[in-house]
Amino acid sequence: MTLLLSGTKNLSKNVLTGTFVIALLFGLVSLQRGRLATLQSLDSSEQNLQRQLQATASTLELAQKTPAFGFNNLIADWTYLQFLQYFGDVEARQLTSYSLSPEFFKVIIPHDPFYRTFYLFLSGSTSNFAGEPEQTITLIDQGLEHLSPTVPPDSFYIWQYRAVDQLLYLGDGAAARQSYQTAADWARQSDHPDAAFIAESAQNTADFLANNPLSKKA
């Protein structure tokens, strides 16, 4: 009788142990399937983003080559709105980077070189987030070819943006000094409300860099 009870207990224990192991295995399989589904979803999402990125790149390349037929401002504004959507999608940019930033401005700046805010976003996105300050300087220079000290009235700011990129991202104090000096010179010829302040501040920075082109303080 004792042996029978002992065998029954052992059998029950083995059944419970086996049931527990089977439940654990099913749980692990379920977890693995969930993990796999998540990875597949992420992979699919990344693939979709890459396809979207390629399509956007192709569209921007085409826009750079297509004649504007007099709709320059419309093309620049539309491209700028597309850029804001691209730049503002932080989750997507964490997966694909900001590498298309300069491509947007290769469309925007030639079609409308007179709007100062374009240059501000150009510098922030291309120099800072895309890590391509040389592209920023090239695009700013393309825009400056169309500008003068009075057209537009706040054009002196664009020289100052150029100076900041040269100093902060390229470490070229001598080139930055020239840009600050030009910003000061253009500001003196402008009737914009900010002109007097920028003329003074840009001149002070230019003078400082003339003696300290490698200054960490600057």
Side-chain angles (χ1 to χ4, degrees), residues 99-121:
S99 60
L100 281 187
S101 293
E103 303 307 313
F104 283 94
F105 289 95
K106 287 178 183 178
V107 179
I108 294 170
I109 298 299
H111 284 92
D112 186 2
F114 304 102
Y115 186 48
R116 174 168 65 93
T117 302
F118 288 157
Y119 296 89
L120 186 60
F121 276 91

Side-chain angles (χ1 to χ4, degrees), residues 59-60 63 73-83:
T59 300
L60 292 171
N73 287 347
L74 183 62
I75 293 172
D77 292 344
W78 180 85
T79 306
Y80 181 60
L81 291 176
Q82 299 302 307
F83 161 76

